Amino acid sequence: MAVSTDAQATEQARPRTGNELLIVEDLKKHFPVTRGIIFQKEIASVKAVDGVSFSVREGETLGVVGESGCGKSTMARCVMRLLEPTGGQIIFDGRDITKLSRAAMRPIRREMMMIFQDPYASLNPRKRVGFIVAEALEVHKMGTDAETKRRVQELLEVVGLNPEHYNRFPHEFSGGQRQRIGVARALAVNPKLIVCDEPVSALDVSVQAQILNLLKDLQRDFGLTYVFIAHDLNVVRHISDRVMVMYLGQVSELADRVTLYREPKHPYTGALLSAVPIPDPVKGRERKPVVLEGDVPSPLNPPSACRFHPRCPRFREGHCDVEEPPLYPMGDGHLAKCHYPLEHWPLTEEEFRQPGRQAVAT
Amino acid sequence: MALLDVRDLKTYFKTDDGIVKAVDGVTFSIEKGRTLGIVGESGSGKSVTCLTIMGLNAKRNTITTGEALFKEQDLLGMGMRRLRQIRGNDIAMIFQDPMTSLNPVHKIGNQLTEAVLLHQDVTKKQARARALELLKAVGIPRAERRVDDYPHQFSGGMRQRVMIAMALINDPDLLIADEPTTALDVTTQAQILNLMNKLQEEFGSAIIIITHDLGVVAETADDVLVMYAAEVVEQGPVNQIFSRPHMPYTWGLLGSLPRLDAETERLVQITGQPPSLLRPPSGCRFHPRCPYVMDVCKQTDPPLKPVTGDIDHYAACHLDEETKDREATKLLAGMVAEARTG
């Protein structure tokens, strides 16, 4: 039920403009939990991603935020076909890639690349930087040896590293420099889409700023499309055109950047925004965060109906725990999965807890 | 007399490659009931400063000089036996990583009671009651049941609460929190910071909070210490640091932050990398990365000088005050203007 309404709402709120590079429909990834050694029996499943739909237009950046364990990384890995989705559809550049075989995927892989979170773990410590960056070029048989070398040096220069460091090993670089190597590697085969999974979380603020600026410059110069995953709301706001908020494997809100941060509709987004410390001793201390109770529930046994209801300050018994809200259109492509969306922003604590208006008509 | 008075603290580590000056002449003090925030990049010596005060550096290969007077007793020259009486009792520490700083093979209740039994003359029963009381105070639901759980049965946020309970169990006068919320999500971070504030109001402890998050510092600290490459480069009351920063490194830190209350097209970036502490740059250690570098910066290390017009505000920079005021105003005005349009 919720699925079809979701899809309809998505359809209404987001008429296809034709320049979508990536369309994801009702994506699901369930990890089985089994018991028994010889006769393995599936006793439950962890619903890491459970019905996520979105699209990314060419040249834009879609930011994805959520707490740890909300399924944002799993979602990214399914989109890249690094994990087999349990259900749903992934359409990349007009082609359905959900069911493609490994061999059929291969030429598509050079169109979509990934930058990983941990620059210490994602580079092979025994290979030289030149090899790491050139590997994708060699896999896809793009150019002769001399051409490859020239291309790698050019890439190192583009990402702000010294091209002469071609022969060094990853351990000779600092965290920020390693992340630049990761960026160069992703750029090597001229991809259309780059999925960045927490690319700056492991870095210091000053280095983080360098990488964010670099990513923005590259997007401008090469017309790249990004899916940018992070848990830091400041970073996501800085880099994204549109932002998707995830909670327990589902989309809870999706809107363009300005709208989402200025007029969040979902109480979870509101709580996240109010929890971000502001680096200003006067403004920051006036801030009254809406403190959520408890932790994110287990995706093994997610709460019924609205998954946010056990922690939600606006929870209404008999409604939120019975009927799952669809992604209601809030106008202008803004979607929020809530029966009692926030009326305005910012709200006082009182207003936050007492939804003023009636529920949105279903 | 301040609760803790650190004077010219130096910690050098002997390594195969030479001497690493991890902390090089740090001076600060903290009064009862106040919160001091220490900020800086990784490797700037924030954590080592606190570990040295707590006497937690390995004795081998470590050279420590200077003074750390806690209630007028020098912690650095103190014998092990006396230090152990103070640690965990008068001074307690919350470590960064709640995943690795609890013992995985003991129930959390036993780990908490151990701390009480070591420092107070009470029965096991009383100690257990105290442990329960603290677990409730830090907001662990169903504390009576959870007290007999192992650390792996708790989530990250809950483990950090257990760490805080353990640190507070003997009502310490000074609490050192080393990146207490870095490993946590924003919503959990808000819960933990709330809790620390509440506990400070209740017990009147002094808190040293080490973090690289300027947002956290702005909201929790009374005074701020900015560290760069093992030295203090700026210190003062929080309002003055944020409204009139007087050191290019502090400007860089403030400018490189994407923030919710301002719209920035391009972040100010500090170019280059933090220097190696094995061979720190000559003169001002920030000079290779500083956009305002002058000849004098390369030769002489600027001392911490009081900033005219401010109280207790010190900065280490050769730039003249007029330029610094102008640049700081420009930076902050830019942010405010952006906040309005954004």
Side-chain angles (χ1 to χ4, degrees), chain B residues 54-216:
Chain B
M54 293 287 279
L56 290 173
N57 289 321
K59 283 273 173 299
R60 256 181 94 223
N61 303 331
T62 308
I63 310 163
T64 309
T65 57
E67 279 178 325
L69 299 175
F70 178 73
K71 294 183 180 167
E72 298 176 37
Q73 300 175 62
D74 190 2
L75 293 169
L76 300 182
M78 198 174 273
M80 213 43 182
R81 182 181 286 255
R82 177 81 190 98
L83 192 60
R84 291 182 107 159
Q85 285 172 355
I86 291 179
R87 260 193 328 224
N89 193 17
D90 299 304
I91 308 179
M93 188 153 176
I94 303 172
F95 296 91
Q96 172 171 5
D97 189 354
M99 302 294 162
T100 54
S101 22
L102 288 167
N103 190 332
V105 300
H106 290 288
K107 294 175 182 168
I108 59 144
N110 293 350
Q111 298 190 45
L112 285 164
T113 34
E114 187 190 3
V116 186
L117 291 171
L118 263 176
H119 294 291
Q120 292 176 31
D121 188 20
V122 290
T123 63
K124 268 196 176 155
K125 216 172 165 185
Q126 285 167 317
R128 196 179 154 84
R130 176 78 183 139
L132 253 178
E133 187 188 324
L134 256 294
L135 286 179
K136 282 183 190 152
V138 296
I140 302 240
R142 294 181 294 125
E144 298 83 0
R145 300 247 299 277
R146 302 306 305 264
V147 66
D148 286 320
D149 279 352
Y150 290 94
H152 73 265
Q153 290 167 292
F154 290 83
S155 68
M158 286 295 151
R159 272 186 243 191
Q160 195 59 292
R161 282 158 197 258
V162 174
M163 292 286 301
I164 295 179
M166 193 181 287
L168 293 175
I169 204 156
N170 292 315
D171 295 336
D173 297 318
L174 175 65
L175 179 66
I176 300 176
D178 187 358
E179 308 255 12
T181 58
T182 306
L184 307 174
D185 284 313
V186 273
T187 49
T188 324
Q189 168 172 293
Q191 294 170 0
I192 298 288
L193 292 179
N194 247 2
L195 176 70
M196 282 176 53
N197 266 339
K198 234 168 51 199
L199 294 169
Q200 182 171 39
E201 273 166 30
E202 205 168 308
F203 299 111
S205 326
I207 298 180
I208 297 180
I209 181 165
I210 302 177
T211 176
H212 63 262
D213 188 333
L214 287 168
V216 172

Side-chain angles (χ1 to χ4, degrees), chain A residues 205-206 279, chain B residues 39-41 214 217 224-228 232-238 240-257 259 268 270 286 290-292 304 313-317 324 327-328 331-332 335:
Chain A
V205 274
S206 64
Chain B
V39 283
E41 285 170 284
L214 287 168
V217 170
V224 181
L225 209 63
V226 183
M227 286 189 72
Y228 183 77
V232 175
V233 292
E234 184 159 7
Q235 71 184 91
V238 67
Q240 291 171 8
I241 297 282
F242 280 85
S243 64
R244 199 185 171 202
H246 252 215
M247 162 79 201
Y249 179 62
T250 318
W251 302 340
L253 282 183
L254 285 169
S256 62
L257 213 58
R259 37 201 286 175
V268 180
I270 307 176
F286 188 56
C290 182
Y292 305 90
L304 270 177
H313 183 183
Y314 300 86
C317 181
K324 283 192 281 197
E327 291 296 313
L331 176 84
L332 297 171
M335 283 180 185

